[in-house]
């Protein structure tokens, strides 16, 4: 039921109007259903919904996927008719408060872009994440092995450059 409510709420907004809502693509909607059901079966799913009894659909919804001691904020949607009240932000504030409760993941990746206007105002702490895709042949193995040396050289160069009179 939560998944169907999510599809309906997301489709009411700009994604539905542009034909890019999850429910508009059978492959995406099937993947989303399978992903959430699988995470739920493994105890790796946190679902959030802000509701109001007089409204047929939630006001805002989000889901997190847990991994080890942490989690990734995977998808969020809100009722765009209520945008002036910032329902997504209100749900995110509740989520942040929950992160300090027992049983919450020890870390959560917001999944947002580095300069996201809403997330940056709410999530102050940052961890840098890097993705490195390398071929598995000998050249790729040498490049991966040399990566720590390259980072060390880069930081040493910066330190030396900053000492110039």
């Amino acid at each position: 039921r939560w998944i169907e409510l999510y599809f309906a709420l997301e489709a009411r907004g700009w994604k539905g109007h542009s034909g890019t809502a999850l429910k508009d693509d059978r492959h995406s909607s099937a993947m989303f259903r399978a992903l959430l059901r699988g995470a739920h079966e493994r105890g790796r799913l946190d679902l959030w919904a802000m509701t109001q009894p007089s409204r047929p659909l939630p006001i805002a919804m989000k889901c997190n996927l847990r991994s080890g001691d942490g989690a990734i904020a995977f998808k969020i949607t809100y009722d765009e008719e209520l945008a002036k009240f910032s329902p997504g932000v209100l749900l995110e504030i509740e989520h942040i408060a929950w992160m300090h409760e027992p049983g919450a993941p020890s870390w959560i990746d917001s999944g947002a872009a580095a300069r996201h206007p809403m997330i940056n105002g709410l999530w102050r702490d940052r961890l840098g994440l890097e993705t490195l895709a390398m071929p598995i042949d000998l050249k790729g193995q040498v490049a991966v092995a040399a990566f720590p040396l390259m980072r060390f050289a880069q930081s040493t160069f910066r330190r030396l450059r900053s000492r110039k009179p």
Side-chain angles (χ1 to χ4, degrees):
R1 177 159 161 70
W2 190 96
I3 295 170
E4 298 313 314
L5 289 171
Y6 187 95
F7 285 161
L9 181 59
E10 183 188 55
R12 285 181 47 131
W14 70 268
K15 289 182 180 179
H17 301 305
S18 66
T20 60
L22 282 171
K23 76 168 194 67
D24 294 331
D25 181 283
R26 66 183 177 92
H27 298 292
S28 296
S29 60
M31 184 274 309
F32 188 72
R33 280 186 181 95
L35 181 67
L36 266 57
R37 287 179 180 144
H40 174 70
E41 289 169 6
R42 291 168 183 80
R44 297 293 187 184
L45 182 63
D46 294 321
L47 301 176
W48 292 78
M50 179 185 297
T51 61
Q52 196 222 7
S54 65
R55 298 182 70 88
L57 290 176
I59 296 167
M61 301 176 80
K62 77 176 285 183
C63 60
N64 295 338
L65 302 172
R66 288 192 177 215
S67 177
D69 293 337
I72 298 168
F74 182 60
K75 291 287 282 177
I76 188 167
T77 191
Y78 63 91
D79 188 336
E80 292 179 12
E81 289 179 8
L82 301 172
K84 67 181 179 179
F85 301 108
S86 302
V89 173
L90 294 173
L91 184 61
E92 198 61 33
I93 289 169
E94 286 298 315
H95 180 237
I96 291 168
W98 169 77
M99 286 191 274
H100 299 282
E101 297 293 326
S106 61
W107 60 266
I108 296 182
D109 180 352
S110 70
R115 291 179 181 87
H116 193 280
M118 186 266 283
I119 292 296
N120 282 1
L122 297 175
W123 294 43
R124 294 180 300 169
D125 296 328
R126 297 283 185 271
L127 282 176
L129 299 177
E130 295 182 28
T131 301
L132 179 64
M134 299 295 293
I136 302 179
D137 64 3
L138 181 59
K139 290 178 189 176
Q141 291 175 12
V142 170
V144 169
F147 193 67
L149 179 62
M150 291 186 297
R151 291 190 69 111
F152 173 75
Q154 182 182 34
S155 66
T156 302
F157 177 72
R158 282 186 187 144
R159 243 180 312 161
L160 292 173
R161 191 170 58 186
S162 67
R163 290 184 186 171
K164 288 185 178 180

